Short mmCIF file of all heavy atoms in Angstrom, two decimals:
data_model
loop_
_atom_site.label_atom_id
_atom_site.label_comp_id
_atom_site.label_asym_id
_atom_site.label_seq_id
_atom_site.Cartn_x
_atom_site.Cartn_y
_atom_site.Cartn_z
N LYS A 237 -17.52 -21.36 -22.21
CA LYS A 237 -17.04 -21.52 -20.84
C LYS A 237 -17.25 -22.96 -20.38
O LYS A 237 -16.35 -23.59 -19.83
CB LYS A 237 -17.82 -20.55 -19.95
CG LYS A 237 -17.46 -20.66 -18.48
CD LYS A 237 -18.39 -19.78 -17.65
CE LYS A 237 -18.39 -20.21 -16.21
NZ LYS A 237 -19.47 -19.59 -15.46
N GLN A 238 -18.44 -23.47 -20.66
CA GLN A 238 -18.73 -24.83 -20.19
C GLN A 238 -17.85 -25.85 -20.89
O GLN A 238 -17.35 -26.78 -20.27
CB GLN A 238 -20.20 -25.16 -20.41
CG GLN A 238 -21.05 -24.49 -19.33
CD GLN A 238 -22.52 -24.55 -19.63
OE1 GLN A 238 -22.92 -24.86 -20.75
NE2 GLN A 238 -23.33 -24.22 -18.65
N ILE A 239 -17.61 -25.63 -22.16
CA ILE A 239 -16.76 -26.57 -22.91
C ILE A 239 -15.34 -26.54 -22.33
O ILE A 239 -14.75 -27.56 -22.05
CB ILE A 239 -16.76 -26.23 -24.42
CG1 ILE A 239 -18.12 -26.58 -25.01
CG2 ILE A 239 -15.66 -26.99 -25.15
CD1 ILE A 239 -18.41 -25.93 -26.32
N ASN A 240 -14.83 -25.31 -22.11
CA ASN A 240 -13.49 -25.19 -21.55
C ASN A 240 -13.40 -25.88 -20.20
O ASN A 240 -12.42 -26.55 -19.89
CB ASN A 240 -13.11 -23.72 -21.35
CG ASN A 240 -12.76 -23.08 -22.67
OD1 ASN A 240 -12.46 -23.80 -23.62
ND2 ASN A 240 -12.79 -21.77 -22.73
N PHE A 241 -14.44 -25.70 -19.41
CA PHE A 241 -14.46 -26.27 -18.08
C PHE A 241 -14.39 -27.79 -18.16
O PHE A 241 -13.60 -28.43 -17.51
CB PHE A 241 -15.74 -25.81 -17.37
CG PHE A 241 -15.87 -26.35 -15.98
CD1 PHE A 241 -14.88 -26.13 -15.04
CD2 PHE A 241 -16.99 -27.08 -15.61
CE1 PHE A 241 -15.00 -26.63 -13.76
CE2 PHE A 241 -17.12 -27.57 -14.33
CZ PHE A 241 -16.12 -27.34 -13.40
N MET A 242 -15.19 -28.36 -19.05
CA MET A 242 -15.21 -29.82 -19.19
C MET A 242 -13.86 -30.34 -19.68
O MET A 242 -13.36 -31.34 -19.21
CB MET A 242 -16.32 -30.27 -20.16
CG MET A 242 -17.72 -30.05 -19.65
SD MET A 242 -17.92 -30.46 -17.90
CE MET A 242 -17.71 -32.25 -17.98
N LYS A 243 -13.25 -29.60 -20.60
CA LYS A 243 -11.93 -30.00 -21.12
C LYS A 243 -10.94 -30.06 -19.98
O LYS A 243 -10.14 -30.95 -19.88
CB LYS A 243 -11.44 -28.93 -22.12
CG LYS A 243 -11.76 -29.23 -23.53
CD LYS A 243 -10.92 -28.32 -24.42
CE LYS A 243 -11.65 -27.97 -25.68
NZ LYS A 243 -11.33 -26.67 -26.18
N PHE A 244 -11.05 -29.07 -19.11
CA PHE A 244 -10.10 -28.97 -18.01
C PHE A 244 -10.25 -30.14 -17.05
O PHE A 244 -9.29 -30.74 -16.62
CB PHE A 244 -10.32 -27.64 -17.28
CG PHE A 244 -9.03 -27.09 -16.78
CD1 PHE A 244 -8.26 -26.29 -17.60
CD2 PHE A 244 -8.58 -27.38 -15.51
CE1 PHE A 244 -7.05 -25.79 -17.17
CE2 PHE A 244 -7.37 -26.89 -15.07
CZ PHE A 244 -6.61 -26.09 -15.90
N ILE A 245 -11.50 -30.46 -16.76
CA ILE A 245 -11.77 -31.58 -15.86
C ILE A 245 -11.21 -32.86 -16.46
O ILE A 245 -10.52 -33.62 -15.80
CB ILE A 245 -13.30 -31.77 -15.66
CG1 ILE A 245 -13.91 -30.54 -15.00
CG2 ILE A 245 -13.61 -33.03 -14.88
CD1 ILE A 245 -13.59 -30.38 -13.56
N SER A 246 -11.48 -33.05 -17.78
CA SER A 246 -11.07 -34.31 -18.38
C SER A 246 -9.55 -34.42 -18.47
O SER A 246 -9.00 -35.50 -18.55
CB SER A 246 -11.72 -34.50 -19.75
OG SER A 246 -11.32 -33.44 -20.56
N SER A 247 -8.84 -33.27 -18.44
CA SER A 247 -7.38 -33.35 -18.47
C SER A 247 -6.82 -33.60 -17.08
O SER A 247 -5.62 -33.65 -16.88
CB SER A 247 -6.79 -32.07 -19.07
OG SER A 247 -6.85 -31.04 -18.12
N GLY A 248 -7.70 -33.72 -16.10
CA GLY A 248 -7.26 -34.05 -14.75
C GLY A 248 -6.85 -32.86 -13.92
O GLY A 248 -6.41 -32.98 -12.79
N ASN A 249 -7.00 -31.65 -14.48
CA ASN A 249 -6.63 -30.43 -13.76
C ASN A 249 -7.88 -29.64 -13.44
O ASN A 249 -8.26 -28.76 -14.18
CB ASN A 249 -5.76 -29.54 -14.64
CG ASN A 249 -4.32 -29.94 -14.57
OD1 ASN A 249 -3.81 -30.22 -13.49
ND2 ASN A 249 -3.67 -29.96 -15.71
N ALA A 250 -8.56 -29.95 -12.39
CA ALA A 250 -9.83 -29.28 -12.13
C ALA A 250 -9.60 -27.82 -11.73
O ALA A 250 -8.83 -27.55 -10.83
CB ALA A 250 -10.56 -30.00 -11.02
N PRO A 251 -10.21 -26.89 -12.44
CA PRO A 251 -10.07 -25.50 -12.05
C PRO A 251 -11.01 -25.18 -10.89
O PRO A 251 -12.01 -25.86 -10.72
CB PRO A 251 -10.51 -24.74 -13.29
CG PRO A 251 -11.49 -25.65 -13.95
CD PRO A 251 -11.08 -27.05 -13.60
N ARG A 252 -10.68 -24.17 -10.12
CA ARG A 252 -11.63 -23.70 -9.11
C ARG A 252 -12.70 -22.91 -9.80
O ARG A 252 -12.41 -22.09 -10.66
CB ARG A 252 -10.92 -22.79 -8.11
CG ARG A 252 -10.36 -23.51 -6.92
CD ARG A 252 -9.19 -24.36 -7.32
NE ARG A 252 -8.56 -24.91 -6.13
CZ ARG A 252 -7.48 -25.65 -6.16
NH1 ARG A 252 -6.93 -25.95 -7.31
NH2 ARG A 252 -6.96 -26.10 -5.06
N ARG A 253 -13.90 -23.13 -9.41
CA ARG A 253 -15.02 -22.42 -10.01
C ARG A 253 -15.84 -21.76 -8.93
O ARG A 253 -15.86 -22.21 -7.79
CB ARG A 253 -15.92 -23.41 -10.78
CG ARG A 253 -15.33 -23.76 -12.10
CD ARG A 253 -15.39 -22.55 -12.96
NE ARG A 253 -14.69 -22.74 -14.21
CZ ARG A 253 -14.57 -21.79 -15.11
NH1 ARG A 253 -15.08 -20.61 -14.87
NH2 ARG A 253 -13.94 -22.00 -16.22
N CYS A 254 -16.54 -20.72 -9.30
CA CYS A 254 -17.28 -20.04 -8.25
C CYS A 254 -18.74 -20.46 -8.22
O CYS A 254 -19.50 -19.96 -7.43
CB CYS A 254 -17.15 -18.53 -8.41
SG CYS A 254 -17.86 -17.94 -9.91
N SER A 255 -19.16 -21.37 -9.08
CA SER A 255 -20.56 -21.78 -8.98
C SER A 255 -20.67 -23.04 -8.11
O SER A 255 -19.76 -23.86 -8.08
CB SER A 255 -21.12 -22.06 -10.38
OG SER A 255 -20.79 -23.37 -10.75
N ALA A 256 -21.80 -23.16 -7.44
CA ALA A 256 -21.98 -24.26 -6.50
C ALA A 256 -21.87 -25.61 -7.22
O ALA A 256 -21.27 -26.54 -6.73
CB ALA A 256 -23.33 -24.14 -5.82
N THR A 257 -22.42 -25.67 -8.44
CA THR A 257 -22.40 -26.92 -9.20
C THR A 257 -20.96 -27.35 -9.47
O THR A 257 -20.60 -28.49 -9.23
CB THR A 257 -23.09 -26.72 -10.57
OG1 THR A 257 -24.13 -25.80 -10.38
CG2 THR A 257 -23.58 -28.01 -11.13
N ALA A 258 -20.16 -26.39 -9.93
CA ALA A 258 -18.78 -26.74 -10.26
C ALA A 258 -18.03 -27.18 -9.01
O ALA A 258 -17.27 -28.13 -9.05
CB ALA A 258 -18.09 -25.53 -10.90
N ASP A 259 -18.26 -26.49 -7.90
CA ASP A 259 -17.55 -26.84 -6.67
C ASP A 259 -17.88 -28.25 -6.23
O ASP A 259 -17.00 -29.00 -5.85
CB ASP A 259 -17.91 -25.86 -5.54
CG ASP A 259 -17.13 -24.57 -5.69
OD1 ASP A 259 -16.22 -24.54 -6.53
OD2 ASP A 259 -17.45 -23.61 -4.98
N SER A 260 -19.18 -28.61 -6.31
CA SER A 260 -19.53 -29.93 -5.83
C SER A 260 -19.02 -31.01 -6.79
O SER A 260 -18.73 -32.12 -6.39
CB SER A 260 -21.05 -30.04 -5.64
OG SER A 260 -21.68 -29.67 -6.84
N THR A 261 -18.88 -30.65 -8.07
CA THR A 261 -18.36 -31.62 -9.04
C THR A 261 -16.88 -31.89 -8.76
O THR A 261 -16.42 -33.02 -8.82
CB THR A 261 -18.45 -31.06 -10.48
OG1 THR A 261 -19.68 -30.42 -10.62
CG2 THR A 261 -18.28 -32.14 -11.51
N THR A 262 -16.15 -30.81 -8.48
CA THR A 262 -14.70 -30.96 -8.41
C THR A 262 -14.20 -31.28 -7.01
O THR A 262 -13.15 -31.87 -6.85
CB THR A 262 -14.00 -29.67 -8.88
OG1 THR A 262 -14.47 -28.60 -8.06
CG2 THR A 262 -14.29 -29.36 -10.31
N ALA A 263 -14.99 -30.90 -6.00
CA ALA A 263 -14.64 -31.14 -4.60
C ALA A 263 -13.20 -30.73 -4.28
O ALA A 263 -12.44 -31.44 -3.66
CB ALA A 263 -14.86 -32.62 -4.23
N MET A 264 -12.81 -29.56 -4.81
CA MET A 264 -11.46 -29.07 -4.57
C MET A 264 -11.45 -28.16 -3.35
O MET A 264 -12.46 -27.63 -2.95
CB MET A 264 -10.99 -28.24 -5.77
CG MET A 264 -10.93 -28.99 -7.07
SD MET A 264 -9.60 -30.18 -7.12
CE MET A 264 -8.19 -29.09 -7.23
N ALA A 265 -10.26 -27.97 -2.79
CA ALA A 265 -10.10 -26.99 -1.71
C ALA A 265 -10.52 -25.63 -2.26
O ALA A 265 -10.40 -25.39 -3.45
CB ALA A 265 -8.66 -26.95 -1.27
N ASN A 266 -11.01 -24.77 -1.37
CA ASN A 266 -11.56 -23.53 -1.89
C ASN A 266 -10.61 -22.34 -1.88
O ASN A 266 -11.01 -21.23 -2.15
CB ASN A 266 -12.86 -23.19 -1.15
CG ASN A 266 -14.01 -23.19 -2.12
OD1 ASN A 266 -13.80 -23.10 -3.32
ND2 ASN A 266 -15.22 -23.30 -1.59
N SER A 267 -9.36 -22.60 -1.56
CA SER A 267 -8.41 -21.51 -1.69
C SER A 267 -7.06 -22.04 -2.16
O SER A 267 -6.76 -23.23 -1.99
CB SER A 267 -8.29 -20.74 -0.38
OG SER A 267 -7.44 -21.40 0.49
N VAL A 268 -6.30 -21.16 -2.76
CA VAL A 268 -4.99 -21.55 -3.28
C VAL A 268 -4.04 -20.36 -3.14
O VAL A 268 -4.44 -19.21 -3.32
CB VAL A 268 -5.11 -22.04 -4.75
CG1 VAL A 268 -5.71 -20.99 -5.64
CG2 VAL A 268 -3.78 -22.51 -5.29
N ARG A 269 -2.80 -20.66 -2.77
CA ARG A 269 -1.85 -19.57 -2.49
C ARG A 269 -1.09 -19.14 -3.74
O ARG A 269 -0.58 -19.98 -4.48
CB ARG A 269 -0.86 -20.02 -1.41
CG ARG A 269 0.09 -18.90 -0.99
CD ARG A 269 0.65 -19.16 0.37
NE ARG A 269 -0.39 -19.14 1.38
CZ ARG A 269 -0.20 -19.39 2.67
NH1 ARG A 269 1.00 -19.67 3.11
NH2 ARG A 269 -1.20 -19.34 3.52
N VAL A 270 -1.03 -17.84 -3.92
CA VAL A 270 -0.28 -17.28 -5.05
C VAL A 270 0.68 -16.21 -4.53
O VAL A 270 0.54 -15.74 -3.40
CB VAL A 270 -1.23 -16.65 -6.10
CG1 VAL A 270 -2.14 -17.69 -6.70
CG2 VAL A 270 -2.03 -15.51 -5.49
N ALA A 271 1.64 -15.85 -5.37
CA ALA A 271 2.62 -14.84 -4.96
C ALA A 271 2.83 -13.83 -6.08
O ALA A 271 2.66 -14.13 -7.27
CB ALA A 271 3.95 -15.51 -4.62
N VAL A 272 3.19 -12.61 -5.66
CA VAL A 272 3.50 -11.55 -6.61
C VAL A 272 4.95 -11.11 -6.35
O VAL A 272 5.38 -11.05 -5.20
CB VAL A 272 2.49 -10.38 -6.46
CG1 VAL A 272 2.64 -9.63 -5.13
CG2 VAL A 272 2.60 -9.39 -7.60
N ALA A 273 5.69 -10.85 -7.43
CA ALA A 273 7.10 -10.47 -7.28
C ALA A 273 7.31 -8.99 -7.58
O ALA A 273 6.59 -8.40 -8.39
CB ALA A 273 7.96 -11.30 -8.23
N GLN A 274 8.31 -8.43 -6.93
CA GLN A 274 8.76 -7.08 -7.26
C GLN A 274 10.26 -7.16 -7.51
O GLN A 274 10.97 -7.88 -6.79
CB GLN A 274 8.45 -6.15 -6.08
CG GLN A 274 8.78 -4.70 -6.32
CD GLN A 274 7.88 -3.81 -5.48
OE1 GLN A 274 6.67 -3.75 -5.69
NE2 GLN A 274 8.43 -3.10 -4.53
N MET A 275 10.75 -6.45 -8.51
CA MET A 275 12.18 -6.53 -8.82
C MET A 275 12.61 -5.29 -9.60
O MET A 275 11.78 -4.53 -10.09
CB MET A 275 12.49 -7.81 -9.61
CG MET A 275 11.83 -7.88 -10.98
SD MET A 275 11.90 -9.54 -11.72
CE MET A 275 13.65 -9.69 -12.09
N THR A 276 13.94 -5.12 -9.70
CA THR A 276 14.51 -4.02 -10.49
C THR A 276 15.31 -4.63 -11.62
O THR A 276 16.51 -4.84 -11.49
CB THR A 276 15.44 -3.14 -9.62
OG1 THR A 276 14.79 -2.88 -8.36
CG2 THR A 276 15.76 -1.83 -10.31
N SER A 277 14.66 -4.96 -12.71
CA SER A 277 15.37 -5.59 -13.83
C SER A 277 16.28 -4.57 -14.51
O SER A 277 15.99 -3.37 -14.53
CB SER A 277 14.37 -6.15 -14.84
OG SER A 277 13.52 -7.08 -14.21
N THR A 278 17.38 -5.08 -15.07
CA THR A 278 18.32 -4.22 -15.79
C THR A 278 18.57 -4.81 -17.18
O THR A 278 17.83 -5.70 -17.61
CB THR A 278 19.68 -4.15 -15.04
OG1 THR A 278 20.26 -5.46 -15.09
CG2 THR A 278 19.49 -3.72 -13.60
N ASN A 279 19.65 -4.35 -17.82
CA ASN A 279 19.96 -4.90 -19.15
C ASN A 279 20.87 -6.13 -19.07
O ASN A 279 21.54 -6.47 -20.03
CB ASN A 279 20.58 -3.81 -20.05
CG ASN A 279 21.87 -3.26 -19.45
OD1 ASN A 279 22.22 -3.58 -18.31
ND2 ASN A 279 22.57 -2.44 -20.20
N ASP A 280 20.88 -6.77 -17.90
CA ASP A 280 21.69 -7.97 -17.70
C ASP A 280 20.75 -9.19 -17.59
O ASP A 280 20.17 -9.47 -16.53
CB ASP A 280 22.52 -7.80 -16.41
CG ASP A 280 23.47 -8.96 -16.17
OD1 ASP A 280 23.22 -10.07 -16.69
OD2 ASP A 280 24.46 -8.76 -15.43
N LEU A 281 20.61 -9.91 -18.72
CA LEU A 281 19.66 -11.04 -18.77
C LEU A 281 19.96 -12.09 -17.70
O LEU A 281 19.03 -12.60 -17.05
CB LEU A 281 19.73 -11.71 -20.15
CG LEU A 281 19.04 -10.99 -21.31
CD1 LEU A 281 19.57 -11.48 -22.64
CD2 LEU A 281 17.52 -11.18 -21.23
N ALA A 282 21.25 -12.40 -17.50
CA ALA A 282 21.62 -13.45 -16.54
C ALA A 282 21.31 -13.01 -15.11
O ALA A 282 20.80 -13.80 -14.30
CB ALA A 282 23.10 -13.79 -16.68
#
Side-chain angles (χ1 to χ4, degrees):
K237 177 186 160 193
Q238 283 169 347
I239 289 162
N240 284 341
F241 179 56
M242 291 319 292
K243 266 194 212 148
F244 215 86
I245 297 287
S246 60
S247 75
N249 276 317
R252 269 70 172 183
R253 282 291 173 183
C254 63
S255 85
T257 326
D259 281 350
S260 54
T261 318
T262 57
M264 299 289 289
N266 243 341
S267 81
V268 58
R269 185 158 296 177
V270 297
V272 68
Q274 184 152 294
M275 64 193 290
T276 315
S277 302
T278 66
N279 60 352
D280 184 337
L281 283 160

